[in-house]
Amino acid sequence: MTSARSNVLEIESLSVRYETPDGAVQAVADISLEIAAGECIGVVGESGAGKSQAFLAVMGLLAPNAQVAGDARLRGRELLGADPRALRDLRGAELAMIFQDPMTSLAPHIVVGDQIAEVLVVHKNMSWREARAQALQLLEQAQVTDAARRLTQYPHELSGGMRQRVMIAIALACDPVMLIADEPTTALDVSVQAQILSLLKRLMRERGMALALITHDLGVVAGLADQVAVLYAGRIVESGSVRKLLKNPSHPYTAALLRSMPRIDAPVDEPLVAIGGQPPSPRQPIAGCPFHPRCAAAPSRCTTERPELRRIDGAQVACHFPRSNSASAITL
Amino acid sequence: MLRYALQRISGVIPTLFVIITASFFIIRLAPGGPFDEEQTLPPEIKANLEAAYGLDQPLLVQYGRYMRGLLVGDFGPSFKFKDFSVTELIAQGLPISLTIGLAAVLLAMLVGIPLGALAALRRNTASDYGIMGFAVLGIALPGFVIGPLFALIFGLYLGVLPVAGYESGQPQYLVLPIVTLALPVIAYIARLTRGSLLEVLRSNFVRTARAKGLSPMRVLFRHALRPALLPVVSYLGPATAFVVTGSLVVESVFGLPGTGRYLVQGAINRDYTLVMGMIVVYGAITLLCNLIADLLYGWLDPRVRYE
Ligand SMILES: Nc1ncnc2c1ncn2[C@@H]1O[C@H](COP(=O)(O)OP(=O)(O)OP(=O)(O)O)[C@@H](O)[C@H]1O
Ligand SMILES: [Mg+2]
């Protein structure tokens, strides 16, 4: 991108690989993306596409047997392979993450107020008293009802949605410049979801927070994201501005994804079409384009030669035969 | 937590009552009686003896009398140690047995937990293999092998500790028995701790703790350790039972005047009151340890307090 943009996070050629007893698993393959201050990138793709793995790698939170290659820079500072102590100072403070599974992501034996306050004690040198008072405000900000009472409750006393909001409060405690949110609103009902999303939006606008939003919900992407990256089998198959991708997807997978997902803004008579077949197993990479077995087009070239990402119509697309604008079947 | 504690405590008394009652009648089911082996005893003298100890009364009456005695701490007279009451015998031996038992459990936790944690943190390194190798040995080797071995090494060859025996006020006599008793428990606790800590370290909430930028020490001690100790605490109940039975062996190997021998001798001699006294005391100790384990468990894991 242009150097005028101040990128908060730059990911370059990121790969994550596991050597397991039954063969190597390529969870993430050669992903590059950038997120600027105040910007949101939506990361979409089917289950197992490598969305969580890619950003856990950025956080330095992968299992010890993960082999990570590439670069990830937070405001110019390299994160991968960085000194653990320096990394700790960033994590939870400048760089925060909301995890996918709220039911198991909180410590069962610590009251939630202290789980929030702890971040402030560690990073902001607050006393526990100050930090707990601040935790109350953070809970209220995350739309937790009856927040004062929640402070002294244990996670098992809270519903999944409440725990999700506690996770959000923890992540936002130190005003991160970069927030990674892995399905942050899945456990929430629609009205709370809207409130959380507007909170995230406000933080992006007012404080210039950058947001990587991992989600299955294209409606959420449409409402919040500036950019979208579509992951398939560990690779980015298409990325670009949200308007372009949702209106005129160039990659057949993006188009299929759009057809398969229910959207509030889609015409009611538009049928939902599930994507046939399965994504390739990360244990057995297939030759050619990873999407070709499920692609309607797939001429012979697609079965032998893997398409590289290239610029088409202002987006990055990895497809030998991208859909032209006129061919777009989806009307928005 | 208070409600949970009261609930647990109130469960102990009925359990102890059931244990005592069941033992009382089961012991009487075994053939023979306390005055049987002295073959030369004429029937009328035997009858007199039995009358003197109340053994001629119906079993239910004897049971009622025994229970009334227990309420005021009277375990009745011993049938075989003729000049002693069971209360006196137990009061003599129990301090030693209790000391080595408690010390062994304590030592096992103090050594076993850090060893297990170390093995987990240094997974698949020489320290891990060393600790786990030791644990396998510790579990496999019985006390009557380790005890004499220790006595040989530390008592005879090195001469730093007494081989056996006991003199009151001389704690060095208790060192080898305690270590012998603790060794298998150390080994078991180390293995338990390692396994459960490894699992907890892989859990999502530890990942959250690391994502918060906490130091490895803080992650370990504040977030991982407490949940990881749950299986260890559950093991405390069985561990007490193990130490209680293990102390029988260890006390006889090292010639300690504890209570262990009374249980064996009492059972062989059909010394009803002595066996009952031992069952009451060991039953109470085991229940107490289980109670402590339950309370600890409730403290470690808030979820169980609400069940
Ligand atoms: N420790 C590991 N060892 C081997 N393979 C792993 C490991 N962790 C993850 N994977 C593999 O990495 C791939 C990507 O997983 P990831 O969790 O990133 O998917 P995702 O896109 O986040 O999916 P979802 O939408 O279900 O969250 C999966 O195929 C998974 O099996
Ligand atoms: Mg995921």
Side-chain angles (χ1 to χ4, degrees), chain A residues 46-53 56 97 100 182-183 214 216:
Chain A
E46 281 164 292
S47 193
K51 307 180 296 290
S52 301
Q53 289 290 308
L56 285 171
M97 180 159 180
Q100 193 168 8
D182 198 347
E183 306 277 2
I214 302 171
H216 286 109

Side-chain angles (χ1 to χ4, degrees), chain A residues 102-104 106-112 115 150 152-160 162-163 166, chain B residues 298-307:
Chain A
M103 296 309 279
T104 57
L106 291 168
H109 60 291
I110 304 176
V111 294
V112 296
Q115 300 199 44
R150 305 287 182 203
T152 56
Q153 287 187 320
Y154 290 95
H156 72 269
E157 297 173 78
L158 307 183
S159 67
M162 279 295 168
R163 290 186 218 185
V166 172
Chain B
W299 175 70
L300 287 173
D301 186 356
R303 277 167 298 190
V304 307
R305 293 175 216 162
Y306 296 84
E307 273 165 18

Side-chain angles (χ1 to χ4, degrees), chain A residues 9 101 106 176 289 297 310:
Chain A
L9 184 70
D101 186 356
L106 291 168
C289 172
R310 58 193 170 114

Side-chain angles (χ1 to χ4, degrees), chain B residues 32-263:
Chain B
F35 309 113
D36 280 352
E37 56 164 352
E38 291 153 74
Q39 291 138 340
T40 50
L41 221 54
E44 52 277 16
I45 296 192
K46 188 176 161 194
N48 275 344
L49 270 172
E50 287 185 344
Y53 287 108
L55 291 177
D56 56 339
Q57 310 266 328
L59 204 50
L60 270 177
V61 174
Q62 294 182 37
Y63 171 73
R65 241 184 21 195
Y66 187 74
M67 293 309 264
R68 267 198 307 280
L70 275 191
L71 283 181
V72 295
D74 178 11
F75 291 91
S78 166
F79 295 142
K80 276 288 141 74
F81 300 89
K82 297 243 162 56
D83 297 326
F84 295 95
S85 71
V86 170
T87 313
E88 282 167 338
L89 289 174
I90 289 177
Q92 266 174 25
L94 198 61
I96 293 178
S97 296
L98 222 47
T99 307
I100 65 167
L102 278 181
V105 172
L106 219 62
L107 182 71
M109 297 223 288
L110 286 179
V111 177
I113 291 171
L115 275 186
L118 191 73
L121 294 177
R122 303 238 186 290
R123 193 182 179 197
N124 294 341
T125 65
S127 5
D128 181 21
Y129 296 139
I131 292 169
M132 285 306 109
F134 152 81
V136 170
L137 274 182
I139 292 170
L141 287 178
F144 57 81
V145 173
I146 296 178
L149 206 67
F150 277 172
L152 204 66
I153 297 172
F154 296 99
L156 278 182
Y157 296 158
L158 300 177
V160 287
L161 287 165
V163 175
Y166 182 69
E167 279 170 44
S168 63
Q170 307 261 298
Q172 68 266 32
Y173 284 99
L174 299 181
V175 174
L176 287 182
I178 290 169
V179 175
T180 306
L181 201 51
L183 208 62
V185 189
I186 291 176
Y188 204 84
I189 288 182
R191 273 171 55 139
L192 273 179
T193 307
R194 177 184 184 272
S196 96
L197 186 58
L198 278 178
E199 199 177 311
V200 170
L201 286 176
R202 275 195 294 265
S203 71
N204 281 346
F205 66 85
V206 166
R207 185 180 65 188
T208 303
R210 296 204 294 134
K212 285 155 82 174
L214 309 182
S215 67
M217 281 294 147
R218 202 181 171 89
V219 172
L220 176 65
F221 284 104
R222 189 161 162 77
H223 290 255
L225 203 55
R226 247 172 79 179
L229 287 182
L230 289 175
V232 177
V233 169
S234 317
Y235 170 65
L236 272 187
T240 341
F242 175 87
V243 164
V244 162
T245 45
S247 68
L248 301 185
V249 175
V250 167
E251 281 173 19
S252 80
V253 165
F254 289 99
L256 290 181
T259 44
R261 61 207 158 115
Y262 295 142
L263 194 56

Side-chain angles (χ1 to χ4, degrees), chain A residues 164-221:
Chain A
Q164 183 77 284
R165 279 170 266 183
V166 172
M167 288 297 300
I168 292 170
I170 292 174
L172 295 178
C174 293
D175 269 324
V177 293
M178 176 76 228
L179 176 66
I180 298 164
D182 198 347
E183 306 277 2
T185 53
T186 22
L188 305 179
D189 58 61
V190 181
S191 66
V192 178
Q193 179 176 335
Q195 286 169 332
I196 296 289
L197 293 177
S198 77
L199 167 68
L200 294 177
K201 212 174 210 162
R202 206 183 71 224
L203 292 173
M204 292 190 322
R205 200 177 54 232
E206 289 174 3
R207 299 181 194 164
M209 181 180 82
L211 175 64
L213 183 67
I214 302 171
T215 180
H216 286 109
D217 189 339
L218 286 178
V220 171
V221 170

Side-chain angles (χ1 to χ4, degrees), chain A residues 53-63 68 79-81 87 91 95, chain B residues 207 210-211:
Chain A
Q53 289 290 308
F55 284 93
L56 285 171
V58 170
M59 291 290 292
L61 292 175
L62 289 175
V68 184
L79 297 171
L80 302 184
L87 206 54
R91 278 206 299 238
L95 174 64
Chain B
R207 185 180 65 188
R210 296 204 294 134

